[in-house]
Amino acid sequence: MTRELVVGAAQLGPIARDEPRSEVIERLLTLLRRGARYGCELVVFPELALTTFFPRWYLDEGGPGGRDAIGGDTNELDAYYEEEMPSVATQVLFDEAKRLAVGFCLGYAELTPPDADGRRHRYNTSMLVDRTGEIVGTYRKVHIPGHEDHEPWRKFQHLERRYFEESPDGFRTFEAFGGTFGMAICNDRRWPETYRVLGLQGAEMVLIGYNTPLDYAPDPSQNPLQSFHNHLVMQAGAYQNGTWVVGVAKGGIEEGVESLAQTAIIAPSGQIVAQ
């Protein structure tokens, strides 16, 4: 049986550190509407699509009223996270998805409600929303890269290990859009286990958002290979598991950091069919 699904890979440009959430959401709405005009049934956004890539800064979690390592209020850190989804700010995106009958996949920083021990958890999260505006699945990043402690020798920090926990849930698939979908985030795409675990669950399409800088501080000799490695791992994952892969980036120069871009839709043959 032949099935068709029109997917839009909505690459984003830079998001400034002081850009209001409302302005970012307007940009997402513009892309969602553009996707609808092209006949898209699903639009895929990048990792941490609602904010700048804040792990590039060392922010002290010292509580309200404190000062962070670069001179800002420590309240700034929590401001990058979503405490509920949909939230008051993001509800308009869900409403528009329902009105247009276009689903979306969105990456964001998640701050959970307190658990039984009173502890709140921080995850790098992606969610899949169907054409009725309902959340059908969420995924929390498994492979957390970077470092945890302040490393001022870097041109910019990569403090994902400071600001996010590893997922306790692993990789799961979700039934939506007439098929079986999996999700992954950025560094997850570099490891074969990501695609294999999803493939064993019958994934027909894997949706991946990423923010990848062109500069790799620990070993700059790898910088010329960033583009090669990016497509290599996604094409291999698609081919080896017979699944479509949609990899969506944030591109451009964001707060002085140049990002890779190279958004691509990859067929189960491993061939890039759109870039």
Side-chain angles (χ1 to χ4, degrees):
M1 181 179 67
T2 300
R3 291 167 294 150
E4 293 185 358
L5 178 69
V6 182
V7 180
Q11 181 168 295
L12 283 175
I15 299 174
R17 183 176 182 176
D18 61 354
E19 188 167 352
R21 187 83 92 257
S22 58
E23 291 184 7
V24 178
I25 291 170
E26 279 299 319
R27 291 167 59 182
L28 300 181
L29 288 168
T30 297
L31 291 168
L32 194 68
R33 291 164 185 151
R34 185 180 301 170
R37 290 199 300 271
Y38 279 97
C40 293
E41 300 160 84
L42 169 63
V43 171
V44 184
F45 296 108
E47 171 193 30
L48 297 178
L50 296 174
T51 66
T52 193
F53 190 76
F54 62 90
R56 68 170 56 96
W57 295 297
Y58 179 77
L59 302 172
D60 184 13
E61 301 169 70
R67 302 293 290 177
D68 66 36
I70 54 177
D73 194 314
T74 51
N75 285 328
E76 178 183 0
L77 180 63
D78 283 354
Y80 291 123
Y81 292 81
E82 309 302 315
E83 298 190 41
E84 57 181 347
M85 193 62 78
S87 63
V88 173
T90 58
Q91 182 64 56
V92 63
L93 193 60
F94 289 78
D95 294 342
E96 189 69 353
K98 181 178 181 179
R99 186 185 75 82
L100 297 170
V102 177
F104 63 89
C105 182
L106 178 77
Y108 63 97
E110 176 190 6
L111 179 60
T112 70
D115 61 17
D117 297 323
R119 185 183 175 196
R120 307 183 78 183
H121 300 270
R122 300 176 187 269
Y123 298 111
N124 191 336
T125 300
S126 183
M127 67 178 172
L128 183 61
V129 175
D130 67 16
R131 300 178 70 186
T132 69
E134 295 296 321
I135 298 173
V136 295
T138 58
Y139 163 74
R140 292 161 172 166
K141 191 172 182 177
V142 169
H143 299 98
I144 308 295
H147 53 100
E148 185 174 353
D149 297 323
H150 189 31
E151 297 185 1
W153 58 268
R154 293 173 176 258
K155 293 181 183 177
F156 55 90
Q157 310 262 347
H158 196 135
L159 287 156
E160 284 193 64
R161 288 186 175 273
R162 181 176 180 84
Y163 300 141
F164 297 113
E165 300 173 46
E166 294 177 355
S167 169
D169 308 316
F171 294 99
R172 296 176 294 166
T173 57
F174 305 94
E175 299 300 314
F177 305 96
T180 305
F181 287 76
M183 288 178 279
I185 299 174
C186 200
N187 191 38
D188 291 323
R189 77 191 190 280
R190 301 188 183 278
W191 313 109
E193 293 80 7
T194 299
Y195 306 94
R196 178 61 74 200
V197 172
L198 290 171
L200 289 171
Q201 297 176 64
E204 297 173 287
M205 183 173 285
V206 179
L207 310 176
I208 305 173
Y210 60 94
N211 281 253
T212 297
L214 287 176
D215 181 81
Y216 181 57
D219 183 8
S221 69
Q222 294 190 36
N223 291 354
L225 298 174
Q226 293 281 40
S227 296
F228 169 65
H229 287 157
N230 177 53
H231 283 160
L232 172 70
V233 291
M234 293 192 291
Q235 289 178 265
Y239 168 67
Q240 291 171 341
N241 295 281
T243 183
W244 289 86
V245 171
V246 182
V248 185
K250 188 190 291 178
I253 299 175
E254 182 181 274
E255 297 291 352
V257 178
E258 188 173 5
S259 299
L260 175 63
Q262 276 204 330
T263 290
I265 297 177
I266 302 164
S269 63
Q271 295 169 289
I272 295 174
V273 297
Q275 179 180 339

